[in-house]
Amino acid sequence: MSGVGGGYPSDLTDKQWALVEPLLPPARVGPQGGRREKHPRRRIVDAIFSVVRTGCAGRQLPRDFAP
């Protein structure tokens, strides 16, 4: 079960997230970077994997996923 999301079968487990998180680039915040992240990265990755695993269109994702 995901530590952040709604508990969908496609959500990453804590152990899987521990493997994926270091592979993501660091957030670019500050004078040379962008704005603060609005949504947790884990929720974004869970939404992407949900689309990949189920084949649904992004607009058909459940409302509790990040927009």
Side-chain angles (χ1 to χ4, degrees), residues 3 10 21 24-25 32 37 39 44 46 52 54 57-59 63-64:
S10 60
E21 185 178 25
L24 299 174
Q32 299 298 321
E37 294 179 340
H39 303 285
I44 301 296
D46 281 341
V52 170
T54 64
R59 66 181 171 269
R63 297 243 182 250
D64 59 332

Side-chain angles (χ1 to χ4, degrees), residues 34-55:
R35 61 183 172 189
R36 288 189 353 231
E37 294 179 340
K38 189 173 182 179
H39 303 285
R41 287 180 171 210
R42 186 171 181 166
R43 301 246 358 247
I44 301 296
V45 172
D46 281 341
I48 291 168
F49 283 152
S50 179
V51 170
V52 170
R53 289 179 183 169
T54 64

Side-chain angles (χ1 to χ4, degrees), residues 1 14 19-20 59 65:
M1 224 14 104
D14 291 336
L19 294 172
V20 171
R59 66 181 171 269
F65 277 116

Side-chain angles (χ1 to χ4, degrees), residues 1-8 10-14 17 42-43 46:
M1 224 14 104
S2 169
V4 180
Y8 292 97
S10 60
D11 286 354
L12 294 175
T13 63
D14 291 336
W17 177 245
R42 186 171 181 166
R43 301 246 358 247
D46 281 341

